[in-house]
Amino acid sequence: MTAAPAFSCQFCHSKFASRNAIFRHLRADGCTSDNPRAPSATTEDPIVKQSLAIWFGYYHVPHDDDNDSNLLQGTGIDNDLGWNEWAGQQVFQAVQQTLETYEIEKTKNDPDSTNGTANNKLLDFQLQESRTQCSLARLRARILQQDPECPAATDVLVMTGTCLQSSLPQLEVALTNLPDALSNGNIQIWACKLLRSDITLHAERSCTQMVYHYLVPLAWMPGAELLQTQWEGWGHRPPTDCLKRFKTALRGAECGMVPLPSQQKKHQQQHKMAVGRFGRLGAKERKAWHNFADPTLRGLAAPNQESVWRVVDYCRMVGMVDNANLVVEIKGDAFLPQQVRRILGTAVAMTHGWIPMDAWETALRDPASLIETVLAPPGRLYLSECRFHFEESFSSGKPLFESDTCGKVLRLGLPGDNGNTRPQEWAQQCLLRSLSSEGTKRAEDQWLKDVQTNVAPRATQSIHELLKVSVPRSELDASALDPAPLDYMDVLTKLRDIVSTGKWPVTSIARSSVLADQGGKTGKAGSFTVINSKLKEQLQTSSGSQVELPLGNQLFPDLAAAVFELEERIAEQTTKVDVAPNGKIGLSNECTSRRPQSTHCAINANAQFQPHVDSGRGAGQSLSIIVGLGDYHDGELRVEGLACDIRFKPLEFDGWALRHWTNQYHGERFSLVWFTPELT
């Protein structure tokens, strides 16, 4: 009889009967290349995996150049280390230090104490370097990263390690000393939870709802003096209706419920539904909240990118601090940089009447809109809570650190059962201390004046322009339009022939997803792509595979040849969209340098595109050229809000990085977009 083959672990060189046994050993014993560990000495005391969930708050990373003047400066996502990541590192190091200190002190006080194994260590807890944190975005889209300078009343950090099963009681005792390992008063540890072995909790991915609080001063409300002087005396009836208007503005930011079945099909064509959610969140719809993201994100926050489809579940006033600041709570599945502050700033402007109150239901919630919004000052926002609905479903709806169902909770920084409010109070008091300086008050007063005189008027004007609908013309007066240049006549004639004969091909699903509803416009609408057949061999060499010409080339070979000939003729007539170092968008009147001929061209007929960025990336040339053809009024191309007249005026721009869309138009409108995509 042949003996069973022996398999060896490449790290600790122990022998096993099968590969599966090696995998079980790696998981259970924590054996790695950096830390080779033999299998458990006895089956009675195996090495087990133990995950720790730390509930902690943080306020401020100390910097040498901190001062009151920089509290109102905007923050982006490019900071090397945000306050949340810094605090997570400090907590992780505190856990390591706590376990090491406990091991040393216990052994020193009781040198005969062992755990009965060959290593003679009490804990032998091997903490892995990897960890997850709710407020980070390492496995999610980068633009879901929390604002770098946003503090937290509570955040959750999950780390994993291995130890002997007999050491678990000692581990629990050791963790009670965790708060003592943090000498920095900017971080508070509220509780620790030893998760059950069958529970897998990934703080970043398992978190289903983020809750933020923003402290809105009464001084920002209309009739502020009346509110502040009579606050204690008006009981249930405020002396003005400004808080009622503020409440209405806040509720307008909440996502609506799923429509009735009769409206479901049409609605799903407009907005993608949230799926895989828990509790009442499952009935919420995803909205493209691109208007409320940091505008410097540009194409990263384009509404055709799924990462910006955020669900705002709740936006209400929930309390008062120091009789001078309203506490506004905003709940959602995740938030884009500056999203919460822009919702709050816009709501304040609406309360004053500086922005129309119905803007939520018109321009601000229209996925085809992109307008300026009001950015509220930083320094008043903090992360209040992180929720895990899947874990709550096992504990009758109790939060993760209020139930022992999924593991044992060690209350380290909370006094008794009524300590839930302490993290909120701690965060609020930290914020109020930093906001009490005269410099901060002056800066916020200046912000409110700037909103009234500059920001809100610009936003209102853009809303009015968006909602302005031209009177439809039954007969377009072509004589009032500049005639088509001779360079374009051949392509324009071929396009009109295809439309008049009804041969326009069906638009792809991907392209249709960014096309706006034509709103009853007559005429064939759609889009298809052709390839430059002269560059077919070059494409095949670049991709390393056979390149098949698309349907557009097969149906309209003469048109395909004509559009690429047109590109060569108009290349030197092209203007360019420039992005200045300060981020402003403008047009360059200088002729662009001779660019390589494009490999692809998108051909569009009567197609009005919603804000989007092009899929994939550009290869070789990173810019696209677009030009409009036909007899039409309006229909400008908007690039990050800049209106560009492209009727027989070719324009070069970065369609992969800059959001762009089509203004409303009347008449027949064709457009050609030449580009060279990156081949995979």
Side-chain angles (χ1 to χ4, degrees):
M1 186 173 180
T2 305
F7 296 90
S8 175
C9 174
Q10 62 177 332
F11 302 138
C12 67
H13 306 293
S14 300
K15 303 295 183 180
F16 298 90
S18 66
R19 289 189 178 90
N20 286 340
I22 293 181
F23 296 148
R24 287 194 295 269
H25 153 67
L26 295 176
R27 289 194 301 269
D29 300 330
C31 183
T32 65
S33 58
D34 298 330
N35 181 32
R37 300 185 67 181
S40 305
T42 63
T43 56
E44 292 79 11
D45 191 13
I47 294 177
V48 295
K49 178 181 177 181
Q50 179 62 60
S51 295
L52 309 175
I54 311 295
W55 198 35
F56 69 106
Y58 46 88
Y59 172 62
H60 183 260
V61 178
H63 293 295
D64 294 336
D65 58 349
D66 281 343
N67 56 68
D68 293 333
S69 63
N70 67 11
L71 286 175
L72 295 184
Q73 293 179 357
T75 59
I77 62 173
D78 295 328
N79 297 48
D80 294 334
L81 198 65
W83 294 356
N84 55 342
E85 190 168 359
W86 170 84
Q89 290 182 0
Q90 298 297 307
V91 172
F92 180 79
Q93 293 170 6
V95 172
Q96 288 181 313
Q97 180 182 340
T98 297
L99 299 180
E100 292 172 0
T101 302
Y102 178 84
E103 183 80 55
I104 294 172
E105 293 296 326
K106 192 69 175 177
T107 305
K108 183 189 301 181
N109 296 333
D110 188 9
D112 295 331
S113 176
T114 66
N115 56 10
T117 61
N119 55 32
N120 286 334
K121 289 187 178 181
L122 289 168
L123 288 178
D124 195 24
F125 190 80
Q126 304 296 321
L127 193 61
Q128 299 176 2
E129 285 295 327
S130 61
R131 55 191 182 274
T132 64
Q133 188 174 335
C134 287
S135 59
L136 297 182
R138 291 175 175 171
L139 299 179
R140 301 176 297 166
R142 176 63 177 167
I143 63 171
L144 296 181
Q145 178 70 279
Q146 181 171 282
D147 289 355
E149 295 185 15
C150 178
T154 63
D155 199 347
V156 178
L157 182 74
V158 176
M159 59 193 77
T160 302
T162 57
C163 68
L164 292 170
Q165 192 172 49
S166 62
S167 298
L168 291 178
Q170 297 285 352
L171 175 64
E172 182 179 327
V173 174
L175 289 173
T176 59
N177 301 318
L178 181 57
D180 298 334
L182 281 170
S183 58
N184 194 315
N186 296 325
I187 302 175
Q188 295 289 330
I189 295 182
W190 309 115
C192 175
K193 188 167 188 175
L194 283 73
L195 298 171
R196 285 195 339 231
S197 59
D198 59 332
I199 297 294
T200 300
L201 184 69
H202 191 289
E204 181 183 328
R205 285 182 167 179
S206 301
C207 180
T208 52
Q209 190 179 64
M210 308 283 284
V211 183
Y212 285 88
H213 284 177
Y214 192 93
L215 305 184
V216 179
L218 290 176
W220 292 0
M221 295 290 106
E225 293 183 0
L226 184 61
L227 279 176
Q228 291 174 311
T229 57
Q230 299 187 19
W231 177 262
E232 297 181 358
W234 33 271
H236 296 291
R237 290 182 62 85
T240 72
D241 66 345
C242 67
L243 293 186
K244 183 178 180 180
R245 298 201 306 272
F246 187 51
K247 176 182 177 182
T248 301
L250 292 175
R251 292 193 64 177
E254 297 176 359
C255 291
M257 301 298 290
V258 173
L260 297 174
S262 60
Q263 304 171 340
Q264 190 112 0
K265 183 176 181 181
K266 178 180 179 181
H267 188 86
Q268 286 181 337
Q269 293 173 351
Q270 298 174 350
H271 304 293
K272 202 161 187 175
M273 296 296 161
V275 295
R277 311 279 291 154
F278 300 95
R280 70 185 187 89
L281 302 181
K284 297 294 181 176
E285 58 183 278
R286 289 186 182 271
K287 290 286 187 178
W289 289 99
H290 51 286
N291 274 305
F292 300 95
D294 183 349
T296 62
L297 294 174
R298 296 196 178 92
L300 292 175
N304 66 320
Q305 304 294 315
E306 189 170 347
S307 55
V308 306
W309 296 342
R310 299 295 101 210
V311 179
V312 178
D313 303 299
Y314 185 90
C315 188
R316 310 283 177 88
M317 294 179 288
V318 295
M320 175 74 72
V321 178
D322 284 357
N323 289 338
N325 296 276
L326 298 167
V327 181
V328 177
E329 182 173 274
I330 299 184
K331 301 178 182 179
D333 56 346
F335 293 91
L336 304 174
Q338 299 186 357
Q339 181 178 351
V340 174
R341 290 165 53 202
R342 288 186 178 274
I343 290 176
L344 264 297
T346 304
V348 170
M350 287 180 176
T351 304
H352 281 273
W354 301 335
I355 293 179
M357 186 65 76
D358 60 353
W360 294 118
E361 297 302 327
T362 53
L364 295 183
R365 299 189 70 172
D366 183 355
S369 68
L370 184 62
I371 67 172
E372 184 174 3
T373 50
V374 181
L375 177 63
R380 292 183 171 273
L381 175 71
Y382 67 90
L383 175 62
S384 172
E385 184 182 2
C386 304
R387 297 189 62 185
F388 302 85
H389 285 85
F390 187 78
E391 272 64 40
E392 291 177 19
S393 65
F394 292 104
S395 58
S396 302
K398 291 184 179 180
L400 181 66
F401 291 92
E402 291 185 15
S403 169
D404 290 332
T405 303
C406 299
K408 186 169 182 179
V409 177
L410 308 177
R411 302 177 67 84
L412 304 177
L414 294 174
D417 295 332
N418 297 323
N420 299 348
T421 58
R422 180 174 173 180
Q424 311 301 329
E425 295 172 355
W426 174 78
Q428 291 167 1
Q429 293 305 315
C430 288
L431 289 178
L432 292 176
R433 281 196 300 271
S434 67
L435 294 167
S436 61
S437 68
E438 290 299 323
T440 300
K441 293 178 181 178
R442 287 194 300 270
E444 291 187 343
D445 289 342
Q446 182 59 43
W447 168 82
L448 197 61
K449 292 178 182 178
D450 184 59
V451 171
Q452 180 181 9
T453 57
N454 297 313
V455 182
R458 290 198 305 264
T460 302
Q461 179 63 28
S462 61
I463 293 172
H464 289 161
E465 291 179 358
L466 182 68
L467 299 179
K468 181 175 62 177
V469 179
S470 303
V471 178
R473 300 175 174 87
S474 56
E475 293 184 6
L476 184 69
D477 185 7
S479 63
L481 301 172
D482 294 333
L486 291 178
D487 284 340
Y488 294 89
M489 286 305 301
D490 181 34
V491 172
L492 182 56
T493 301
K494 288 180 169 60
L495 291 172
R496 286 170 171 167
D497 289 343
I498 295 173
V499 171
S500 62
T501 56
K503 295 181 180 179
W504 197 272
V506 176
T507 305
S508 67
I509 296 177
R511 195 73 60 85
S512 297
S513 65
V514 294
L515 285 175
D517 187 354
Q518 292 297 298
K521 286 188 174 73
T522 58
K524 182 66 179 179
S527 175
F528 66 91
T529 299
V530 294
I531 287 180
N532 191 340
S533 58
K534 295 180 180 180
L535 302 179
K536 181 179 178 181
E537 292 184 1
Q538 175 184 324
L539 290 173
Q540 291 180 160
T541 302
S542 301
S543 63
S545 60
Q546 185 70 21
V547 174
E548 297 293 337
L549 294 178
L551 181 62
N553 287 76
Q554 300 173 31
L555 295 177
F556 317 114
D558 293 341
L559 174 64
V563 296
F564 290 106
E565 292 174 3
L566 176 62
E567 181 193 16
E568 292 188 81
R569 291 197 298 271
I570 67 174
E572 296 183 359
Q573 308 169 17
T574 304
T575 57
K576 182 179 179 181
V577 174
D578 276 337
V579 181
N582 61 1
K584 289 187 177 181
I585 305 292
L587 292 178
S588 171
N589 293 322
E590 300 179 1
C591 286
T592 58
S593 58
R594 190 73 177 180
R595 58 183 253 150
Q597 192 169 17
S598 303
T599 60
H600 292 64
C601 181
I603 302 175
N604 311 305
N606 300 320
Q608 183 177 342
F609 286 87
Q610 295 179 346
H612 70 285
V613 290
D614 299 332
S615 59
R617 291 183 297 174
Q621 57 188 45
S622 60
L623 303 178
S624 303
I625 289 182
I626 185 172
V627 68
L629 303 84
D631 294 334
Y632 65 90
H633 286 286
D634 304 323
E636 299 87 355
L637 175 74
R638 281 195 175 268
V639 182
E640 291 295 337
L642 176 67
C644 306
D645 181 10
I646 61 169
R647 184 174 182 267
F648 302 118
K649 298 176 182 178
L651 178 75
E652 190 176 44
F653 71 106
D654 190 344
W656 289 279
L658 302 177
R659 291 168 291 189
H660 53 283
W661 64 98
T662 313
N663 274 357
Q664 293 188 22
Y665 63 90
H666 294 280
E668 63 159 6
R669 184 184 186 277
F670 300 98
S671 63
L672 305 176
V673 185
W674 291 277
F675 62 101
T676 299
E678 184 178 54
L679 299 178
T680 56

